[in-house]
Amino acid sequence: MLKLMKASAGSGKTYSLARQYIELLLKSSDRYAYRHILAVTFTNKAANELKERLAVLLGPEAQDIWAMTFHSACCRILRREIERMGYSRSFTIYDASDSERV
């Protein structure tokens, strides 16, 4: 299931995302359902707020939650799977200004 939430700043997106995350966990019979849920935000601030809210609600299990920015999620997946493509996990990602400096 894919859900998209769009709203203005301060409208409760992080709160709503945390509640939906919890609802998905409660509906699942799988004790480890949180391992199958990816919560993506646009900012590190929102991702950290989401993790904090889920930590209060879930306790220690919240350490394994995938709640992060789109870029962080892609980087984590790439680091985990890149060896399948014949590359090393020790790579660096450059933005435009980093590329110019190098």
Side-chain angles (χ1 to χ4, degrees):
M1 169 182 17
L2 176 65
K3 287 196 170 195
L4 174 65
M5 230 185 298
K6 308 187 307 186
S8 61
S11 62
K13 293 180 298 295
T14 305
Y15 173 81
S16 296
L17 189 56
R19 296 303 322 158
Q20 289 183 14
Y21 193 101
I22 296 299
E23 286 177 23
L24 285 171
L25 291 180
L26 293 174
K27 289 178 183 176
S28 175
S29 59
D30 181 1
R31 183 180 186 287
Y32 299 103
Y34 62 89
R35 294 181 179 171
H36 306 285
I37 302 172
L38 170 62
V40 178
T41 66
F42 283 101
T43 66
N44 287 319
K45 180 183 175 190
N48 290 332
E49 285 179 23
L50 180 59
K51 287 178 195 176
E52 288 170 9
R53 289 175 194 227
L54 291 172
V56 169
L57 296 168
L58 297 174
E61 288 182 347
Q63 296 298 319
D64 295 329
I65 289 173
W66 277 50
M68 58 197 66
T69 64
F70 175 78
H71 293 97
S72 296
C74 291
C75 185
R76 184 182 284 189
I77 293 166
L78 191 56
R79 284 206 192 278
R80 189 173 73 186
E81 304 295 334
I82 198 163
E83 288 177 341
R84 293 179 186 213
M85 296 181 281
Y87 296 99
S88 167
R89 286 185 179 172
S90 60
F91 61 86
T92 303
I93 299 173
Y94 293 116
D95 63 13
S97 61
D98 291 333
S99 302
E100 290 175 18
R101 277 197 303 270
V102 172

